[in-house]
Amino acid sequence: MDSFDKNVFINCSFDDDYRELLISLLFTVMYLGLNPRIALERFDSGETRINKILKLISESRFGIHDISKIVSSKKDEVFHMNMPFELGIDYGCTKLLKGQWETKRILILGREQYRYHEALSDLSGSDIKHHDDEAIKLVKVVRDWFICEVFNKGPSHKRIWYEYNDFMNDLSNKLTTQGYELDDLETAPIPEIMSYMQEWLNKNNN
Amino acid sequence: MFMSKRSTHHVVKSPDGGWDVKKGGASRKSGHFETKKKAESWGRKVSEKQRTELVIHGKDGRIQRADSHGKDPLPPKDKK
């Protein structure tokens, strides 16, 4: 696989209440030997966000788009429109571009199965996988999708989930030795956690 | 590098529903329980017997607490 075939563009909320889902999603993708790409990975402040997103999408064969946040859960909550916007760009790439982009595959995730068709009716007929805001379900949905789309067979979702829990314990110990306090663990930068994740997988998952 | 710390047992959300107890590094469960409370109770007994650290996870995998029942191979350094 070259880098395009291993890159997975992750389009989701970066809010605190999605953080644990994001970490479990990143772990699952990396556990399967793939390379998650997220907008948080690049800190070039001179680059506009949309150009950053376009580059990530164009470099990734796979796109995982969690549109849970397009439907507000509380009164007066602001809709997050970046997710459907970026999903549209990725979808356009698969349909309008030639060459390697014709091989792109897209996984659409949501909290509930049928909640989004009203807000985003263009998706009618599309298969949206749901995770009920539970990391354990997200791991299974993402793992099963990649097995069906790419690998045909692979480690079970149970194994990935158990090892994810092992990783979380080792991460907690590791960050503590790096000077983080327990309360800080919720705020460690995602790219730093991804770096530890890769190191842990290299050590534990040959 | 990630250092191997002490041996552990973990109480984790079960992929089959309920809660599991598993040994650290194991890809199979040691015990399965309907409730987290029962899993913790059984896990504590096993952990005490095997002198391991019992790590309690939340349903999202986050660490809620850890109870040591064995000798810590990496004890805190005395800063005096």
Side-chain angles (χ1 to χ4, degrees):
Chain A
M1 280 188 175
D2 66 19
S3 60
F4 175 80
D5 288 320
K6 292 180 79 169
N7 284 345
V8 183
F9 172 62
I10 308 279
N11 170 25
C12 65
S13 167
F14 296 130
D15 289 352
D16 290 345
D17 61 359
Y18 193 83
R19 181 179 168 89
E20 294 309 319
L21 288 175
L22 172 59
I23 294 173
S24 65
L25 169 57
L26 292 167
F27 184 86
T28 305
V29 168
M30 291 171 83
Y31 192 97
L32 294 171
L34 300 166
N35 181 29
R37 308 291 305 275
I38 59 173
L40 295 174
E41 74 184 47
R42 295 152 61 105
F43 289 109
D44 181 359
S45 56
E47 186 180 27
T48 61
R49 181 182 160 92
I50 187 62
N51 283 342
K52 192 188 295 184
I53 298 294
L54 285 173
K55 191 163 190 332
L56 292 175
I57 288 175
S58 71
E59 291 174 351
S60 303
R61 180 178 173 206
F62 302 101
I64 297 180
H65 303 264
D66 193 326
I67 58 173
S68 303
K69 291 285 182 178
I70 67 169
V71 178
S72 60
S73 55
K74 292 177 281 199
K75 190 184 174 193
D76 298 330
E77 187 178 47
V78 176
F79 291 116
H80 291 63
M81 302 311 291
N82 285 335
M83 278 86 76
F85 180 65
E86 292 167 22
L87 166 58
I89 296 171
D90 204 7
Y91 187 81
C93 274
T94 68
K95 299 298 178 189
L96 302 175
L97 296 180
K98 301 292 179 192
Q100 65 181 1
W101 293 284
E102 289 179 290
T103 68
K104 277 169 92 49
R105 293 288 180 274
I106 289 174
L107 169 62
I108 307 174
L109 298 170
R111 185 183 304 135
E112 301 159 41
Q113 193 161 18
Y114 299 110
R115 193 171 163 83
Y116 310 98
H117 289 143
E118 210 172 315
L120 199 55
S121 59
D122 285 354
L123 288 179
S124 294
S126 300
D127 186 17
I128 299 175
K129 306 289 186 188
H130 62 105
H131 51 62
D132 299 328
D133 272 348
E134 292 185 26
I136 197 168
K137 290 184 181 174
L138 181 59
V139 167
K140 181 175 186 338
V141 162
V142 171
R143 176 267 176 204
D144 288 353
W145 185 79
F146 275 111
I147 295 302
C148 291
E149 287 289 331
V150 189
F151 300 114
N152 295 321
K153 56 189 176 185
S156 72
H157 68 281
K158 292 182 181 180
R159 172 178 285 190
I160 299 173
W161 174 250
Y162 287 150
E163 294 206 21
Y164 175 64
N165 280 269
D166 285 342
F167 165 73
M168 291 299 280
N169 183 51
D170 289 347
L171 175 68
S172 175
N173 293 330
K174 178 75 174 180
L175 290 176
T176 303
T177 64
Q178 299 288 27
Y180 280 98
E181 294 179 6
L182 278 180
D183 289 347
D184 299 329
L185 302 184
E186 308 298 319
T187 59
I190 291 294
E192 184 178 9
I193 289 177
M194 289 171 71
S195 175
Y196 286 130
M197 217 173 255
Q198 192 61 65
E199 186 183 318
W200 188 91
L201 286 167
N202 289 343
K203 180 172 179 279
N204 293 282
N205 186 27
N206 296 315
Chain B
M1 286 291 289
F2 280 91
M3 300 292 288
S4 295
K5 224 185 162 194
R6 71 185 72 183
S7 296
T8 51
H9 280 87
H10 299 255
V11 174
V12 303
K13 188 94 174 78
S14 173
D16 300 317
W19 292 81
D20 291 338
V21 176
K22 70 175 270 314
K23 194 160 189 176
S27 57
R28 292 178 189 277
K29 59 181 178 272
S30 313
H32 176 74
F33 303 87
E34 282 182 16
T35 67
K36 190 173 187 182
K37 194 174 176 183
K38 287 179 183 172
E40 280 189 43
S41 175
W42 188 80
R44 181 156 287 108
K45 285 178 193 163
V46 174
S47 175
E48 284 172 357
K49 192 173 180 183
Q50 299 188 19
R51 294 172 59 81
T52 63
E53 183 178 48
L54 180 66
V55 183
I56 313 294
H57 293 255
K59 68 175 187 175
D60 55 8
R62 270 188 288 197
I63 309 304
Q64 291 185 325
R65 66 179 190 278
D67 300 326
S68 176
H69 300 115
K71 188 180 175 187
D72 188 349
L74 297 172
K77 288 179 182 168
D78 188 348
K79 292 183 179 173
K80 283 182 186 173

